[in-house]
Amino acid sequence: DWSCFKQSGEVASGSGEGINHCKMNNAFGDALGNPIADPRSQRPVATARYELYWMWSLRYSRESWLMLIDARDVWFQKPPFDELTARGKVSG
Protein backbone atom coordinates (compact mmCIF):
# COMPACT_ATOMS: atom_id res chain seq x y z
CA ASP A 1 0.00 0.00 0.00
CA TRP A 2 1.52 3.31 -1.09
CA SER A 3 0.77 6.99 -0.54
CA CYS A 4 2.06 8.80 -3.61
CA PHE A 5 2.48 12.47 -4.43
CA LYS A 6 3.14 14.51 -7.54
CA GLN A 7 6.20 16.77 -7.66
CA SER A 8 3.86 19.66 -6.70
CA GLY A 9 3.01 17.84 -3.44
CA GLU A 10 -0.53 17.06 -4.60
CA VAL A 11 -1.79 13.57 -3.73
CA ALA A 12 -1.44 11.17 -6.69
CA SER A 13 -3.41 8.01 -7.43
CA GLY A 14 -0.33 5.82 -7.86
CA SER A 15 3.35 5.80 -8.64
CA GLY A 16 2.83 7.30 -12.08
CA GLU A 17 5.30 4.86 -13.66
CA GLY A 18 7.98 6.09 -11.26
CA ILE A 19 7.41 9.82 -11.76
CA ASN A 20 5.58 10.32 -8.45
CA HIS A 21 7.27 9.89 -5.10
CA CYS A 22 5.70 7.56 -2.56
CA LYS A 23 5.73 6.45 1.06
CA MET A 24 4.95 2.89 2.13
CA ASN A 25 1.91 2.38 4.36
CA ASN A 26 1.91 -0.32 7.06
CA ALA A 27 5.38 -1.56 6.12
CA PHE A 28 7.13 -0.47 9.32
CA GLY A 29 6.45 -1.25 12.96
CA ASP A 30 7.70 -0.61 16.45
CA ALA A 31 9.31 -3.21 18.72
CA LEU A 32 5.88 -4.55 19.66
CA GLY A 33 4.80 -4.94 16.04
CA ASN A 34 2.45 -1.96 16.02
CA PRO A 35 2.37 -0.15 12.66
CA ILE A 36 4.17 3.17 12.49
CA ALA A 37 4.35 5.77 9.75
CA ASP A 38 7.02 5.36 7.08
CA PRO A 39 9.98 7.17 8.69
CA ARG A 40 11.69 7.92 5.39
CA SER A 41 11.03 10.74 2.98
CA GLN A 42 8.94 10.21 -0.13
CA ARG A 43 10.88 8.40 -2.83
CA PRO A 44 10.36 6.79 -6.21
CA VAL A 45 8.98 3.25 -6.02
CA ALA A 46 12.06 2.18 -7.99
CA THR A 47 14.14 3.19 -4.94
CA ALA A 48 11.73 1.90 -2.29
CA ARG A 49 11.77 -1.56 -3.87
CA TYR A 50 15.18 -2.18 -2.27
CA GLU A 51 13.56 -1.78 1.14
CA LEU A 52 10.97 -4.34 0.10
CA TYR A 53 13.74 -6.75 -0.94
CA TRP A 54 15.35 -6.33 2.48
CA MET A 55 12.01 -6.92 4.25
CA TRP A 56 11.37 -10.06 2.21
CA SER A 57 14.89 -11.33 2.91
CA LEU A 58 14.16 -11.26 6.66
CA ARG A 59 11.59 -14.03 6.14
CA TYR A 60 14.34 -16.51 5.24
CA SER A 61 16.79 -18.32 7.47
CA ARG A 62 20.32 -16.93 7.86
CA GLU A 63 21.59 -19.97 5.96
CA SER A 64 19.37 -19.30 2.93
CA TRP A 65 20.89 -18.13 -0.32
CA LEU A 66 19.07 -15.29 -1.99
CA MET A 67 19.62 -13.89 -5.44
CA LEU A 68 17.91 -10.63 -6.33
CA ILE A 69 17.99 -9.43 -9.91
CA ASP A 70 16.31 -6.88 -12.07
CA ALA A 71 15.15 -9.37 -14.67
CA ARG A 72 14.98 -6.75 -17.40
CA ASP A 73 18.76 -6.30 -17.22
CA VAL A 74 19.92 -9.90 -16.83
CA TRP A 75 20.86 -12.46 -19.44
CA PHE A 76 21.87 -15.88 -18.16
CA GLN A 77 24.46 -17.56 -20.36
CA LYS A 78 24.37 -20.66 -18.19
CA PRO A 79 22.48 -21.75 -15.07
CA PRO A 80 23.45 -19.16 -12.41
CA PHE A 81 23.92 -21.65 -9.57
CA ASP A 82 26.11 -24.24 -11.33
CA GLU A 83 29.34 -22.90 -9.81
CA LEU A 84 28.03 -22.68 -6.24
CA THR A 85 29.14 -25.22 -3.71
CA ALA A 86 27.76 -26.00 -0.28
CA ARG A 87 29.02 -23.78 2.49
CA GLY A 88 29.37 -24.30 6.20
CA LYS A 89 26.85 -23.08 8.73
CA VAL A 90 26.66 -19.30 9.01
CA SER A 91 27.24 -17.80 12.42
CA GLY A 92 27.00 -14.32 13.88
Side-chain angles (χ1 to χ4, degrees), residues 27-38:
F28 299 93
D30 63 18
L32 299 175
N34 300 310
I36 61 172
D38 187 343

Side-chain angles (χ1 to χ4, degrees), residues 22-77:
C22 304
K23 291 181 96 72
M24 288 189 272
N25 298 323
N26 302 313
F28 299 93
D30 63 18
L32 299 175
N34 300 310
I36 61 172
D38 187 343
R40 299 184 175 127
S41 60
Q42 301 164 7
R43 58 222 173 268
V45 173
T47 302
R49 67 185 170 163
Y50 295 105
E51 296 168 71
L52 294 172
Y53 299 158
W54 173 75
M55 290 175 196
W56 290 325
S57 76
L58 296 176
R59 301 188 56 82
Y60 292 86
S61 116
R62 291 182 67 119
E63 286 84 26
S64 294
W65 291 22
L66 300 174
M67 181 171 141
L68 296 173
I69 60 170
D70 186 334
R72 295 174 300 170
D73 300 334
V74 175
W75 178 266
F76 291 111
Q77 296 180 1

